Amino acid sequence: MSNVVSALNGVSQSGIALVEETGLRGMITVRGDLASKPMAKALKDVLGASVPEQRQIASGEKGAVAWMSPDELLVICDHGAAEDIIASLNAALAGEHVLVVNVSDARAVFKVSGECAREVIAKLAPVDLAPGAFEPGMMRRTRFAQVAAAFWMNDDGSFEIICFRSVARYVFDLLCVASVDGSEVGFFN
């Protein structure tokens, strides 16, 4: 069996912000009735997380749950725990009309941190990132230049970006160009 590796093997670059691939991450797509009591109970029992509100991400002891659409969530967890979480969610949701599937190896995750992290993301995504408009715990499914991506803001002010593995190099390069030394715009300072 081959070794599982991240898309870009942990590459990073420092400029006005630090851009780094975060390595392997477990990701599980969950589709179903997000307003159902069985869904809420399954997420609480398996992950310790609640069903997030629209465009939010909720944390639990075993992972985070991100709102992706009116009938879709993304569970973000330890890569090695994904299969066990899938089995537990499927058992907890037995009899419900749901889809629970491992998409971990189809995605790449990047982190942008530092004083200008908000500015770097704002250069690439058509989202209002002004303080007050976008805060920790918020999630957006959008585009970064020419490709689909999703991102959220952490409590420490850093951002995490998810994209398809097939465009990981493109997204990393975009983030690096947006964070090159001397490229500060100063809009949020």
Side-chain angles (χ1 to χ4, degrees):
M1 179 177 243
S2 62
N3 292 332
V4 180
V5 296
S6 66
L8 301 177
N9 291 315
V11 67
S12 67
Q13 179 177 304
S14 184
I16 64 170
L18 176 62
V19 177
E20 53 193 329
E21 185 197 26
T22 65
L24 296 172
R25 189 82 63 95
M27 286 178 257
I28 303 162
T29 293
V30 179
R31 296 202 72 146
D33 181 359
L34 304 187
S36 75
K37 288 181 181 179
M39 179 69 75
K41 183 172 178 2
L43 293 173
K44 185 58 84 179
D45 291 350
V46 174
L47 297 162
S50 59
V51 176
E53 296 293 321
Q54 182 176 356
R55 295 183 173 173
Q56 299 289 313
I57 187 166
S59 295
E61 298 110 39
K62 293 185 181 176
V65 181
W67 183 93
M68 298 299 278
S69 75
D71 70 344
E72 181 182 356
L73 300 172
L74 181 66
V75 173
I76 304 159
C77 61
D78 180 69
H79 189 271
E83 288 300 327
D84 289 340
I85 291 172
I86 289 169
S88 296
L89 285 172
N90 277 324
L93 292 165
E96 297 295 311
H97 182 71
V98 296
L99 170 71
V100 182
V101 64
N102 190 341
V103 296
S104 305
D105 297 333
R107 306 285 197 273
V109 184
F110 298 96
K111 184 175 184 177
V112 177
S113 58
E115 203 172 299
C116 294
R118 186 182 296 267
E119 186 171 308
V120 169
I121 302 302
K123 290 177 184 180
L124 300 172
V127 174
D128 182 357
L129 285 162
F134 199 90
E135 294 294 328
M138 293 183 165
M139 170 90 174
R140 288 297 181 277
R141 191 174 188 176
T142 185
R143 301 192 72 74
F144 271 43
Q146 299 297 312
V147 298
F151 69 93
W152 66 91
M153 186 178 192
N154 295 311
D155 289 336
D156 65 1
S158 66
F159 290 81
E160 292 192 60
I161 301 100
I162 298 171
C163 66
F164 289 112
R165 185 182 182 104
S166 60
V167 296
R169 173 50 68 178
Y170 176 77
V171 171
F172 178 73
D173 290 347
L174 284 174
L175 292 166
C176 289
V177 168
S179 66
V180 71
D181 281 327
S183 70
E184 302 87 15
V185 176
F187 188 75
F188 299 119
N189 299 339

